[in-house]
Amino acid sequence: MPRIYVWSPFVRVTHLLIALSIFGALFSGFFKPLFSLHLFFGSLVFVLLIARILYGFFGTTYERFSHFDFSWRDLRYYFLHLFRDKRSYIGHNPAASWVMIFIILGGVAVTLTGLLLLGAMYERGPLDFLGKILYFWGDFLKKAHQLIALAILIASLIHIIGTLIEHFYHRTRIIDSMVHGYKPYEGKDLHPSILQSLFGIGAILLSLTIAFYAANDRSYREFLALHDLYPVEFRRECSSCHTLYPPQWLPSSSWKIIMQDLKGHFGKDAREYVKHPEIIQTYLLAHSSEHHPSYFPHAITRSNLQSQKYRLSRISFIRELHAKIPPKLFEHPAIKIRSNCQACHLHFDEGILQPEEIRIPDISFREALQIYLR
């Protein structure tokens, strides 16, 4: 049977990498400790998709967008003859054309919302400056990011089902073509030029480099850490008997309640440790959650407007974040009580609540699945 060279190495490799990255990003997105892996796959797919879009304009003939079949008539014909004898396609069939363009555009959209979310919610990444501007859009961006990711997952599953039908039912060997690049069709082989090959190699290397950098970047520790900025009195006296609570994790109304009753400070007389209450209270009120323009302090302020809770673990927003965690886990010897934030949030006292910095002590893989997939 005659065959023709259709898919270049760049398209075949990026097709595999994008597919693995999409499912890798979806899986790692469920687990906070795997956030670095989520950033790796997200960055990888973003750069590869941008490169694929560019290649769609100057790649080989069958790989260009101009060769995609976006005809509604052809799409209708394709589905009407899905399980009957139908015409063969040298490039993408109508269904694959629509699904691929949707995955490409959806992939760019989901990674862009991810970048916006990274900046708005966690104040990091190339758009970290947005943390002071779009922090109140954090919930919207998170929901948009999740919905687009779900749409891509559905489109990918449809694409996989269609591919399996083509390969096994119609015996087109379409899966094989994405391995060696040839399709059973008469025509002229179209191998990529040197420039196209160099572009492909460069794009793949660049995407891997950016992905590794994004996954291993910990510059936020220096950028967000507040420990060295704390007044000496606050740092020494407030950490003498418990974890140091950064001022932005409670609104000023809560700090006033706490500082006004040092004699009954959560069951203890804190006057023995706190020798400069005026200095500490002034600092706490000046840097409380409503004076800190970022996502988490803003959410704490908003959820505490009516209740006036002065225990962080009882604020509704914090309770919602920990709702999936089994209550029994807080009885762990390394945690003991809900207010022991630093038991799991390694740099809590520095004001850092990054997903990678979460370490739940002595938890099994099965228990982790129950928490994150609950």
Side-chain angles (χ1 to χ4, degrees), residues 74-89:
D74 291 346
L75 183 65
R76 180 174 177 272
Y77 174 89
Y78 177 84
F79 282 114
L80 288 176
H81 295 78
L82 187 60
F83 294 102
R84 291 185 283 172
D85 293 335
K86 59 183 181 64
R87 70 182 71 155
S88 58
Y89 300 88

Side-chain angles (χ1 to χ4, degrees), residues 62 122 141-142 171 202 237 296 330:
Y62 308 124
Y122 295 110
L141 289 171
K142 182 178 180 180
R171 302 182 184 278
E237 297 173 18
F296 288 103
F330 292 101

Side-chain angles (χ1 to χ4, degrees), residues 139 295 299 302-303 313-325:
D139 292 328
Y295 174 76
R302 186 180 56 194
S303 64
S313 59
R314 293 183 180 178
I315 293 177
S316 59
F317 171 71
I318 300 299
R319 294 180 71 87
E320 290 170 7
L321 288 179
H322 297 77
K324 294 183 179 180
I325 299 178

